[in-house]
């Protein structure tokens, strides 16, 4: 089931692992509607509940109102706020007073293979850096390593 409202796409899938049917919620952030659809489809087929937004600003707004996000996967290069800036805000916990936001794993995606950018993101606390086009095997590898 999908819904579209103001740049936000919600998709629900159930994780059937050790969580006993509890969906793990992934926030997908990308300014490209095509890339949002691709990553949402991969995540949905991997049985995650997905909320997709079109900017870092919308991601922070959603994180302020949605406490049950298990992971964030974000594009690096977006207008207004880059994925790197979103990562820093999440890890520095600027967006929310609670320390739970800081604990959310963040994965960065990019179509540009820039080693200094990759290193900078990983040093700032990103769990991984995926090259686009993202493949289901990339998502599976990261999520199996990072999520319970």
């Amino acid at each position: 089931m999908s819904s579209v409202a103001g740049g936000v796409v919600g998709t629900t899938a159930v994780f059937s692992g050790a969580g006993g049917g509890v969906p793990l919620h992934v926030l997908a952030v990308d300014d490209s509607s095509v890339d949002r659809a691709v990553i949402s489809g991969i995540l949905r087929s991997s049985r995650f509940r997905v909320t997709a937004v079109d900017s870092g600003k919308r991601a922070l707004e959603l994180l302020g109102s949605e406490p049950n996000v298990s992971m964030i996967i974000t594009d690096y290069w977006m207008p207004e706020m880059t994925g790197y800036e979103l990562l820093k805000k999440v890890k520095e916990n600027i967006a929310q007073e609670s320390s739970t936001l800081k604990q959310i794993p963040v994965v960065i995606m990019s179509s540009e293979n820039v080693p200094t950018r990759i290193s900078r993101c990983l040093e700032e606390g990103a769990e991984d850096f995926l090259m686009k086009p993202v493949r289901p095997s990339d998502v599976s590898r990261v999520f199996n390593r990072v999520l319970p």
Side-chain angles (χ1 to χ4, degrees):
M1 172 168 66
S2 295
S3 62
V4 178
V8 177
V9 178
T11 305
T12 304
V14 176
F15 180 71
S16 58
V22 176
L24 292 177
H25 187 187
V26 179
L27 175 58
V29 188
D30 202 312
D31 60 310
S32 162
S33 60
V34 171
D35 288 340
R36 269 196 322 274
V38 168
I39 194 64
S40 294
I42 291 171
L43 292 166
R44 185 175 50 250
S45 70
S46 297
R47 320 230 359 113
F48 292 99
R49 176 177 168 230
V50 179
T51 301
V53 297
D54 61 1
S55 71
K57 181 180 175 188
R58 285 186 182 250
L60 289 175
E61 289 168 0
L62 185 113
L63 289 166
S65 64
E66 172 58 59
N68 297 319
V69 172
S70 302
M71 180 174 278
I72 301 165
I73 185 164
T74 181
D75 183 33
Y76 179 87
W77 197 248
M78 297 180 290
E80 295 181 27
M81 179 186 297
T82 66
Y84 176 73
E85 291 165 334
L86 174 61
L87 167 70
K88 285 184 68 167
K89 287 187 180 294
V90 168
K91 294 306 176 183
E92 291 172 359
N93 214 24
I94 291 171
Q96 184 174 317
E97 293 179 16
S98 160
S99 65
T100 57
L101 186 63
K102 195 175 190 174
Q103 305 304 316
I104 300 172
V106 179
V107 175
I108 308 284
M109 308 176 288
S110 181
S111 57
E112 300 172 351
N113 188 357
V114 180
T116 54
R117 181 182 296 166
I118 295 168
S119 296
R120 189 171 68 159
C121 290
L122 295 173
E123 288 168 5
E124 195 63 43
E127 293 296 328
D128 210 334
F129 196 105
L130 301 178
M131 293 304 302
K132 291 181 179 180
V134 175
R135 299 177 311 247
S137 60
D138 297 328
V139 171
S140 178
R141 175 181 51 81
V142 170
F143 286 82
N144 285 336
R145 182 175 54 81
V146 174
L147 292 176

